[in-house]
Amino acid sequence: MNTHSFLAAYSAVVWLSAALAISSPIMITDVESTCPLTPIRIGPLRTVTPEMTYTAIGDSITAGSRPGTEPSWTVFFQAAHTTMYYNRAVWGYDTGRMLRKLRDEDIYTRTDVYFIHGGGNDIHGNQIRSPEIMCNIDEMVRLIEERGAIPVIVSPIPLNIHTSHYPELEAAIYREYRASLHDYATERFINFVDPWTAMEDPFHPGLLNPR
């Protein structure tokens, strides 16, 4: 599959999952956050529609896999919609820097919907566990909702084994993190996009399918 075909398919998964609020069933974990998270609450799930305006915050998966050379899934998303779309993702950002950027960019990125897609750089090379990452995710959700906008959490994609020096450890953390995101979003009626299942190697759990 070439780069554009891959990104087009990925974009379709992201949009359809957000629009339909789809999340695949996965194992519930007993991982607890290291900070007090937003309390569990009763719905309803807020509706996302194509005519809304959007902002994406994240790392290279959203910014583009190589700055200036390879586009991200947001290019295909934007081409399919006529609404305003801001891509505020930055190459190399972890969730801490994503949070700081979200706080700083209160001026011109007030849109109806915010996609939150990050965590890979917290795990990759740093082996930061999901409870620590969830503190940043929760604070981003809180800021977005304070602005009257709709947060959409996007799960990480499986680990690319060719970019990791500790594939078994990091793949396990990726799976833990994805489960934590799923539980967090489900318990709080937050839109959750899950491209993981479509991209995971069926023979090597937690790793990106080489196809």
Side-chain angles (χ1 to χ4, degrees):
M1 181 181 291
N2 61 38
T3 299
H4 288 282
S5 297
F6 166 80
L7 290 171
Y10 184 47
S11 178
V13 169
V14 168
W15 168 245
L16 287 173
S17 298
L20 300 176
I22 294 174
S23 59
S24 60
I26 57 178
M27 182 178 295
I28 304 301
T29 67
D30 58 359
V31 175
E32 295 184 359
S33 174
T34 56
C35 62
L37 299 179
T38 301
I40 294 173
R41 62 196 182 197
I42 304 300
L45 191 70
R46 299 178 67 183
T47 303
V48 176
T49 59
E51 64 272 12
M52 290 179 169
T53 56
Y54 298 85
T55 293
I57 51 179
D59 51 31
S60 60
I61 299 296
T62 301
S65 55
R66 293 182 182 174
T69 60
E70 293 183 9
S72 79
W73 57 268
T74 61
V75 172
F76 298 93
F77 181 96
Q78 189 172 16
H81 301 83
T82 57
T83 56
M84 186 182 301
Y85 195 99
Y86 295 103
N87 188 342
R88 300 303 184 204
V90 179
W91 175 270
Y93 264 27
D94 56 22
T95 56
R97 285 182 285 181
M98 287 168 55
L99 173 57
R100 290 192 291 274
K101 187 174 181 65
L102 180 63
R103 286 174 175 154
D104 294 341
E105 292 203 339
D106 186 40
I107 37 154
Y108 57 94
T109 57
R110 288 208 174 221
T111 50
D112 299 316
V113 179
Y114 286 75
F115 283 104
I116 304 171
H117 192 189
N121 290 319
D122 300 71
I123 300 169
H124 185 59
N126 299 309
Q127 292 89 48
I128 295 176
R129 307 295 296 198
S130 66
E132 297 178 60
I133 305 172
M134 291 307 302
C135 293
N136 293 328
I137 296 295
D138 182 67
E139 183 63 12
M140 283 187 268
V141 167
R142 187 186 64 79
L143 288 173
I144 291 166
E145 291 185 335
E146 283 183 354
R147 298 176 186 181
I150 301 173
V152 176
I153 296 175
V154 184
S155 82
I157 62 173
L159 177 70
N160 183 347
I161 192 172
H162 301 294
T163 64
S164 175
H165 296 295
Y166 309 98
E168 290 187 8
L169 172 60
E170 292 185 351
I173 300 175
Y174 266 73
R175 296 179 71 196
E176 174 191 277
Y177 173 48
R178 179 212 177 202
S180 296
L181 282 177
H182 174 275
D183 296 353
Y184 172 87
T186 301
E187 292 171 348
R188 292 161 182 81
F189 286 82
I190 296 170
N191 287 280
F192 180 71
V193 177
D194 189 19
W196 179 284
T197 302
M199 304 179 74
E200 186 177 30
D201 187 337
F203 303 105
H204 301 92
L207 298 181
L208 186 66
N209 192 328
R211 298 181 61 187

